[in-house]
Each structure stands twice: as C-alpha cells, then as structure tokens.
C-alpha cells in the first residue's frame, strides 16, 4: 500500500513538471559570467572587474530587472576566479557555459587567459567579451568572441610614434616576459613599428625574462650599456615597480614607457615616486575625466574607496555592451543555445556604442575601433590624460 502511495505521488509530480503550465511558470533568469583573476599575480585586476560588475548589477536591480521585449528579467552574476592562470580560466569558462547556463561571459581580462578561454567560448557558441585583452589572437577567427579595447597591432605603433614625437629618440630598448602572450606579442609589435620608423637595428637591446622572475639586473645591465635612449616595457603593474627601481639603481637615466597593463590602481602604491613622470598607453585617464566617465569614477570611488583603473572602466563598458545586445535581441526564449546565438548576432550589429572608455563599433573580428590614450603619471601619482591617438 505504501509503495502504491509513493508511486502515485511521483506520478503527480511528474505530470506537474511536464505540463505547459509548469513550464510557463518557471522563472527565466539571465545569467552573466565573470571570468576574473581574483587571486594570483594580478588580483587588483580581478577586484576592479568584480566591483564594476557589482555596480552594473546594482543598476539592473534598481530598475526591477533587465527589460527585453517589454518584459523584465532577473539578472544573476556568476563570478569565477581564474587565479591569473590560463588553465583555470579555461576551466571557469567551461563550467559557466556547460553547468551554469550563462547567456554571455565578460572576461578574462588579460590575454594570457583570454586567448585560450576564447577558444572554449567559441566552441560552445557563447558570447565572450574580454574587456582588456589586446592580443589579436583572442578574437581571431572566433565569431562569438569580442573585446572592449584596442589591439596590440594598434597600440605598438601608437607608443613608437609617441616616443619619437615626444623625445625625438632614435634608439630604443625593450624588456618583456617571453612566457606571456600579451607581453611577448606587444614587444614584437613595438619592435617592428620602431624599426620601421628608425631603421633595422634601432632597437639596440631586446631583452626577455620569464614569468615570476624578480631579478632583472642582467637584462637591465645590458640595456644600460646598449646606448638606448628609452626603455619600453609592456609588463603588468606588479612587475613594473621592480623593473623601474632596479633600472635606476643600475644607472638608467632615460624614460621608461609602458603599455595598458600599467594602468592598475595599485601601480603607484607599489612604485611610489619612482614612477612619477613616466608615460604609458591606456584606454582612459581618470584625472580630468568628464561626463559619464567622471560619474562612474565618482560612484566607484565613493563605494569602494579608490579611483577605478582602466580594467574597471572597460569591464563596465563590456557589461553595458552585453546589456544592449541582450535587449536588442527583442526576446528571451529561455532556450539558452538559441538565446546565446541571438545575443551574438545582436552584439555584432552594435554601432557607435558610447562607452566611458570611448565610442565603439565592431569589426568583423569582434574588435572595436577606438582611440588610445597616452597617460602621464603626474607628481601626485595620478593617471593624467596627456594626449590621444586615434585610428
């Protein structure tokens, strides 16, 4: 008798699950994945990404949800720590796509994680927007992968032109991480751009090291003796202070110029006055910002106690891009594979998107056409707008 009763209950439950009424009553939640380095070598990058995402979600919740086709949907962030490792970033993307059913992913930030993670996103036909990855391989031949920043083939010549115009130098040195896709790729692009302007051999020292190295004295000694007038070093913010201080201790007198990987809010606190007066290419400058950019900076600073770096601003823009693409689909079906494709198609069609890091229209490769900013670290340790360079 007990067995019959249990079977009856089971049958009733099954019938409820399978009825059209039950399906229609099921709530559809839009899930957005965040793949960020919350631990590892560059945790400040992950923190800025997470904080920007939380502000974005706060706005969605205040509005009562994300409106698509006249209906409001609850939004949930699925935040995964990629530990600043390529394999962890790949694992995070796989989990969010196959287990969490995210509609789109924002991140990873750095190319070291974004290049391999982009392969996973594209394989599963899921939109991935990397806010900060400038390596061209991140989006190459991957229709579902986009980015919110300029590319290294653009950034390298921008830096070479800036140094030439600003200092009238003709001999440069480069110090880069040979094990890092971003650093290695940008060093190669810069070298090609510099030698195109100043002739073969005008990069008089081209020195490398490997991730986790902390002693650069051998490479820097070679650079000091090379006759170089400027040192270009496309390293992450945690490595820059070591390079700058060791270079000065070994007698380097010229400027050291960096790339967008310098733009962390933690750079100045780690480097101190040694970095004042130096330049780097970036996506925006906080000091002197206006309009929507300043509004974001003020709100972020009020909430978290410090000025957001470019990673936070780019993450904000990437989430706003995802938001607009989802809305432009006009409808959420609840069938995640179908909705992912609709978001991808809508994202590719966005034109003249007004981001806080600049206006964006995507190329066929999913890369935005946008300007670069040359930032000067002023005497107060602020990231100050110096000049811009546009395609």
């Amino acid at each position: 008798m007990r067995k019959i009763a249990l079977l009856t209950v089971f049958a009733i439950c099954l019938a409820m699950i399978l009825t059209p009424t039950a399906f229609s009553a099921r709530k559809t939640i839009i899930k957005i994945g965040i793949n960020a380095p919350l631990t590892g070598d560059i945790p400040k990058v992950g923190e800025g990404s997470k904080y920007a995402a939380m502000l974005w979600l706060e706005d969605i919740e205040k509005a009562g949800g994300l409106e698509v086709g006249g209906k409001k949907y609850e939004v949930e962030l699925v935040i995964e720590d990629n530990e600043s490792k390529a394999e962890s970033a790949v694992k995070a993307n796989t989990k969010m796509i196959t287990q969490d059913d995210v509609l789109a992913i924002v991140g990873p930030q750095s190319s070291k994680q974004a290049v391999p993670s982009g392969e996973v996103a594209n394989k599963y036909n899921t939109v991935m927007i990397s806010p900060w990855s400038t390596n061209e391989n991140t989006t190459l031949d991957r229709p579902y992968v986009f980015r919110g920043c300029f590319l290294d083939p653009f950034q390298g010549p921008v830096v070479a032109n800036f140094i030439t115009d600003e200092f009238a130098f003709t001999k440069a040195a480069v110090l880069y991480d040979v094990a890092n896709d971003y650093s290695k790729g940008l060093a190669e692009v810069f070298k090609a751009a510099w030698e195109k302007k100043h002739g073969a051999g005008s990069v008089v020292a081209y020195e490398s090291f490997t991730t986790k190295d902390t002693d650069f004295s051998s490479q820097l000694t070679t650079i000091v003796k090379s006759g170089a007038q400027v040192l270009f070093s496309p390293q992450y913010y945690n490595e820059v202070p070591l390079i700058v201080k060791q270079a000065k201790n070994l007698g380097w007198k010229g400027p050291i110029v960096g790339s967008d990987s310098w733009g962390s809010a933690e750079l100045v606190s780690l480097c101190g006055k040694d970095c004042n007066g130096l330049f780097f290419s970036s996506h925006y400058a906080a000091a002197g910002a206006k309009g929507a950019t300043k509004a974001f900076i003020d709100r972020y600073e009020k909430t978290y106690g410090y000025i957001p770096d470019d990673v936070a601003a780019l993450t904000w823009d990437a989430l706003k891009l995802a938001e607009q693409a989802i809305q432009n689909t006009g409808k959420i079906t609840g069938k995640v594979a179908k909705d992912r494709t609709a978001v991808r198609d809508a994202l590719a069609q966005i034109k003249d998107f007004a981001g806080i890091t600049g206006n964006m229209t995507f190329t066929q490769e999913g890369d935005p056409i946008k300007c670069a900013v040359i930032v000067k670290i002023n005497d107060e340790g602020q990231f100050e707008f110096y000049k811009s360079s546009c395609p």
Side-chain angles (χ1 to χ4, degrees), residues 85-312:
K85 298 176 182 175
E87 60 272 24
S88 298
V90 167
K91 189 181 294 183
N93 259 19
T94 305
K95 173 186 173 291
M96 290 191 289
I97 294 169
T98 62
Q99 297 180 33
D100 299 322
D101 286 339
V102 297
L103 185 54
I105 295 171
V106 170
Q109 299 285 3
S110 60
S111 298
K112 185 177 175 181
Q113 289 95 45
V115 172
S117 298
E119 184 176 354
V120 174
N122 199 62
K123 174 185 172 184
Y124 286 106
N125 295 343
T126 304
V127 163
M128 176 182 122
I129 309 173
S130 175
W132 201 48
S133 171
T134 52
N135 189 298
E136 60 182 333
N137 290 326
T138 297
T139 57
L140 189 63
D141 297 326
R142 295 170 176 174
Y144 279 81
V145 182
F146 297 76
R147 76 176 91 218
C149 55
F150 51 67
L151 276 73
D152 289 335
F154 170 65
Q155 180 174 201
V158 163
V159 177
N161 291 338
F162 165 71
I163 293 171
T164 302
D165 296 342
E166 184 71 18
F167 303 107
F169 292 155
T170 57
K171 296 179 181 178
V174 178
L175 178 62
Y176 67 99
D177 182 352
V178 71
N180 183 306
D181 286 342
Y182 165 79
S183 180
K184 181 173 180 291
L186 185 50
E188 290 169 351
V189 171
F190 173 82
K191 182 174 185 290
W194 185 267
E195 293 192 334
K196 184 178 180 181
K197 291 182 75 70
H198 302 289
S202 57
V203 172
V204 294
Y206 194 65
E207 297 293 308
S208 66
F209 60 92
T210 301
T211 307
K212 302 288 186 185
D213 285 356
T214 56
D215 182 359
F216 312 104
S217 56
S218 175
Q219 297 92 329
L220 289 168
T221 297
T222 299
I223 288 169
V224 171
K225 292 179 178 177
S226 70
Q229 298 161 302
V230 60
L231 169 59
F232 174 60
S233 192
Q235 294 310 127
Y236 289 121
Y237 71 90
N238 58 323
E239 297 159 324
V240 174
L242 289 173
I243 292 170
V244 171
K245 290 176 182 178
Q246 289 180 28
K248 289 186 175 181
N249 288 339
L250 289 167
W252 175 260
K253 303 295 184 187
I256 300 174
V257 178
S259 55
D260 64 313
S261 54
W262 283 35
S264 168
E266 205 168 28
L267 174 69
V268 172
S269 62
L270 292 172
C271 195
K273 293 183 178 179
D274 285 329
C275 280
N276 289 359
L278 301 186
F279 296 93
F280 62 93
S281 55
S282 186
H283 309 274
Y284 98 135
K290 300 175 181 177
T293 308
K294 187 175 188 312
F296 170 77
I297 292 168
D298 291 346
R299 181 181 171 195
Y300 186 104
E301 185 177 19
K302 183 179 179 182
T303 305
Y304 301 116
Y306 65 91
I307 294 172
D309 52 28
D310 60 348
V311 169

Side-chain angles (χ1 to χ4, degrees), residues 31-77:
K31 296 182 179 180
I32 304 296
I34 303 293
N35 190 335
L38 301 173
T39 59
D41 296 336
I42 50 174
K44 203 68 178 176
V45 168
E47 181 180 278
S49 308
K50 179 181 174 181
Y51 285 172
M54 289 167 64
L55 289 181
W56 175 79
L57 182 62
E58 184 178 282
D59 286 350
I60 297 291
E61 291 177 340
K62 279 183 180 175
L66 179 57
E67 186 170 334
V68 185
K71 182 178 177 181
K72 288 193 175 181
Y73 293 87
E74 182 180 335
V75 175
E76 179 181 319
L77 291 177

